[in-house]
Amino acid sequence: MTPSSTANRVSAPHPQNTNVPELAWKQRYASLGPDFVVALSPTPLPEPYWVARNRPLASALGLPQPWGSNDALLQTFTGNTAPAGAAQSASVYSGHQFGVWAGQLGDGRACSLGELQGLEVQLKGAGPTPFSRRGDGRAVLRSSIREFLCSEAMHALGVPTTRALCITGSDAPVWREERETAAVVTRVAQSFVRFGHFEHFSHGQQHGKLKTLADYVIDHFYPTCREHVGDGAQPYVALLAQVTQRTAEMVAHWQSVGFCHGVMNTDNMSILGLTLDYGPFQFLDAYDPAHICNHSDTQGRYAFYKQPNVAYWNLYCLGQALMPLIDDQEQAIAALETFKTHYPQALATRFAAKLGFSQAHDTQRPLIEMALKLMAQDRVDFTIFWRHLSHWAAGMDLADARVRDLFMDRAGADALLQAFRALHAQDDTDARAAVSTRMLRANPKYVLRNHLGELAIRAAKAKDFSVLQALQTVLEDPFDEHPDHEAWAGFAPDWAAGIEISCSS
Ligand code: AMP
Ligand code: MG
């Protein structure tokens, strides 16, 4: 590993915080050794304050309550003091960015404290690491709020994701396109290992380390890969197959809720199939399959409709990286090719649920295609369409215009509703009510639209965190009604189209 010259900017170890009760930190990943992680100390931020907290996750981690009034924890999650028993480290990885091999990257602004209750805890934005390259190691308040809210929104939607524990802020300036202020978002996952970690050791011809990493991931997260090994099955092929399946399911889930990941580089792909690295993401407003949510993605490599193919491409990068451990290339290719069955199956299952069916069936496909084509043609709001359809399903009455009114093509909308009704083929009210209830559990009323995040950010910049808190509460419960926040379930306002989200975070 060759840390860049920024290493000399990493601050000296600071004293441990004795006011935080000693928690049972483990260092499973860090114990792989100095080829995998570099010990470091976060760079303190002046006069930190709480911006957001996630109480249930704090309880799950065993943090002392009430933690909001605990100044020691505020300092800890800003990176100003080291919690007793925790280590602090950054990991090395590499990756393909926008389709091009980018070489070594690594945690340039994430500092891992180790694992609590089987969950790794990382401070993102806690200052430079040996992998910061030309970056400042910081995260701004704006992007930290987006990551915090979206992680928890995705979790509540049931999408596999890293979680967010808290945000602390400081008035210390951070320069992006303009002067902003610093924040640290603490994120949590079973593991933050990325495809890029494998690519790193493979490209560096460090095949022993590659095996150590693969064994670590299998032993901790994919133990079934060791089954049947005596029959000639290969654990690393099994790993590739299982990661392929999880990735297919994750992307199918994204597509079913209209979530667009802005930077699907291999260094942002979780080996556990978790949504990872919330930068320029977006939930679609109007349905446009070609939508590009990242203003830095000038070629549209990560346009919404391309994301399943990108996932498949990224899996091939992982497969390539694992080849030194795999004897039989055909087996590796076979594992990767399962994407072509897993992905459509996963997508069909998701859309079946959105349509109110308990199982996917081929007869649903024309209806799904019809709905998506019509929505694309009329640029209908993705979330609102599915939610309105869920309510409409309770009566399936063509005189009820709430879905039709979303479309300019009224005849097309009527044909769609008739096809939906024909497919359900239920006349009695109870059965229709049951369909509607199922659909209301599959089609959220609330998603983190760009403009909602923006409202929380604007208020937070003025030190008003109430919008953020209210939005957090609503997004934690996205399938239910929140009468006080009806407007957040409405169409995006015109100014939303002007929000530019880039890689700058
Ligand atoms: P991302 O585009 O956020 O996935 O980041 C790509 C790489 O750049 C990773 O190695 C990050 O750790 C690093 N990086 C991003 N922003 C910063 C920053 N402000 N300071 C240091 N490294 C950064
Ligand atoms: Mg990243």
Side-chain angles (χ1 to χ4, degrees):
M1 177 168 36
T2 48
S4 74
S5 58
T6 50
N8 55 10
R9 285 200 274 134
V10 176
S11 60
H14 41 58
Q16 291 207 330
N17 188 338
T18 47
N19 291 329
V20 179
E22 186 148 347
L23 297 160
W25 291 96
K26 293 212 167 87
Q27 301 296 333
R28 295 185 304 183
Y29 191 75
S31 66
L32 294 180
D35 290 305
F36 295 84
V37 298
V38 175
L40 59 97
S41 280
T43 309
L45 280 169
E47 299 175 48
Y49 43 85
W50 291 112
V51 174
R53 288 186 295 269
N54 180 343
R55 213 160 277 119
L57 189 54
S59 301
L61 292 172
L63 293 179
Q65 303 288 346
W67 64 315
S69 52
N70 189 323
D71 185 64
L73 284 174
L74 173 64
Q75 300 298 336
T76 291
F77 291 118
T78 309
N80 290 356
T81 51
Q88 297 167 106
S89 63
S91 77
V92 65
Y93 55 81
S94 297
H96 283 83
Q97 297 186 316
F98 292 91
V100 178
W101 176 244
Q104 181 183 298
L105 301 164
D107 293 324
R109 52 176 169 168
C111 168
S112 174
L113 301 180
E115 297 111 30
L116 278 181
Q117 311 289 336
L119 294 168
E120 185 173 341
V121 179
Q122 277 194 351
L123 309 181
K124 181 171 174 180
T129 79
F131 309 114
S132 295
R133 296 173 293 151
R134 283 178 300 279
D136 58 8
R138 291 298 180 198
V140 295
L141 181 66
R142 160 179 59 84
S143 63
S144 304
I145 289 175
R146 281 172 52 84
E147 170 141 14
F148 179 90
L149 285 175
C150 200
S151 309
E152 293 310 297
M154 293 287 267
H155 174 70
L157 291 172
V159 184
T161 178
T162 61
R163 304 286 307 276
L165 177 68
C166 59
I167 307 174
T168 68
S170 162
D171 290 345
V174 174
W175 288 94
R176 295 295 181 256
E177 277 81 12
E178 56 185 15
R179 184 186 196 270
E180 300 192 47
T181 60
V184 176
V185 57
T186 299
R187 60 184 184 178
V188 170
Q190 271 193 312
S191 169
F192 288 95
V193 171
R194 301 148 190 263
F195 291 10
H197 281 93
F198 288 86
E199 291 179 281
H200 180 77
F201 295 108
S202 193
H203 267 260
Q205 307 288 322
Q206 295 178 277
H207 297 165
K209 307 287 177 226
L210 178 67
K211 183 173 182 307
T212 302
L213 177 65
D215 287 340
Y216 170 85
V217 168
I218 289 174
D219 290 343
H220 289 95
F221 311 111
Y222 290 99
T224 58
C225 292
R226 299 237 185 262
E227 286 170 9
H228 313 299
V229 169
D231 320 336
Q234 294 198 1
Y236 309 113
V237 173
L239 176 64
L240 195 52
Q242 291 197 25
V243 177
T244 298
Q245 176 160 3
R246 284 207 200 177
T247 304
E249 283 166 4
M250 172 187 76
V251 178
H253 218 145
W254 290 357
Q255 295 273 309
S256 76
V257 293
F259 175 82
C260 203
H261 192 299
V263 206
M264 284 181 75
N265 295 335
T266 58
D267 55 298
N268 290 339
M269 296 293 292
S270 151
I271 201 73
L272 300 184
L274 307 173
T275 313
L276 171 65
D277 274 13
Y278 290 91
F281 66 83
Q282 189 180 356
F283 280 91
L284 297 181
D285 294 312
Y287 181 61
D288 173 10
H291 186 72
I292 303 160
C293 66
N294 178 357
H295 276 76
S296 314
D297 181 9
T298 47
Q299 306 286 313
R301 180 180 174 84
Y302 301 136
F304 182 69
Y305 78 98
K306 291 187 185 165
Q307 304 214 333
N309 271 332
V310 172
Y312 175 69
W313 191 92
N314 288 344
L315 284 161
Y316 262 83
C317 291
L318 177 65
Q320 186 73 50
L322 283 170
M323 279 322 290
L325 307 181
I326 294 175
D327 303 332
D328 184 348
Q329 186 176 336
E330 293 305 312
Q331 281 190 20
I333 290 174
L336 290 164
E337 289 300 288
T338 61
F339 188 86
K340 290 183 178 160
T341 46
H342 284 315
Y343 175 73
Q345 269 167 15
L347 192 69
T349 303
R350 293 276 153 221
F351 273 89
K354 289 179 85 65
L355 286 169
F357 294 100
S358 49
Q359 273 181 18
H361 195 276
D362 281 348
T363 52
Q364 294 155 11
R365 203 181 318 155
L367 183 62
I368 296 165
E369 282 169 7
M370 191 178 177
L372 294 177
K373 196 168 162 214
L374 205 60
M375 286 166 73
Q377 171 199 295
D378 284 357
R379 294 285 189 270
V380 172
D381 187 279
F382 187 81
T383 305
I384 292 177
F385 166 76
W386 289 105
R387 192 72 182 179
H388 278 25
L389 186 67
S390 310
H391 285 295
W392 184 86
M396 299 197 196
D397 177 5
L398 284 179
D400 173 353
R402 73 181 106 183
V403 178
R404 185 197 296 130
D405 283 352
L406 296 172
F407 293 85
M408 280 184 301
D409 181 352
R410 302 294 162 104
D414 279 341
L416 175 67
L417 293 173
Q418 272 161 355
F420 175 86
R421 193 166 64 178
L423 201 59
H424 275 288
Q426 277 136 350
D427 289 332
D428 74 283
T429 331
D430 286 352
R432 286 181 174 176
V435 169
S436 173
T437 304
R438 270 204 300 278
M439 289 175 73
L440 289 168
R441 304 312 302 166
N443 295 304
K445 176 159 178 162
Y446 295 94
V447 293
L448 180 60
R449 296 170 185 272
N450 263 353
H451 77 278
L452 299 180
E454 197 63 26
L455 294 176
I457 291 164
R458 285 182 192 170
K461 282 184 174 173
K463 297 267 165 51
D464 169 7
F465 306 124
S466 63
V467 183
L468 167 49
Q469 266 166 27
L471 199 48
Q472 181 187 349
T473 306
V474 167
L475 293 172
E476 276 168 0
D477 200 9
F479 298 101
D480 281 332
E481 300 294 321
H482 299 274
D484 292 348
H485 298 294
E486 202 56 34
W488 291 349
F491 295 103
D494 289 344
W495 60 265
I499 302 172
E500 291 202 355
I501 308 286
S502 69
C503 281
S504 160
S505 59

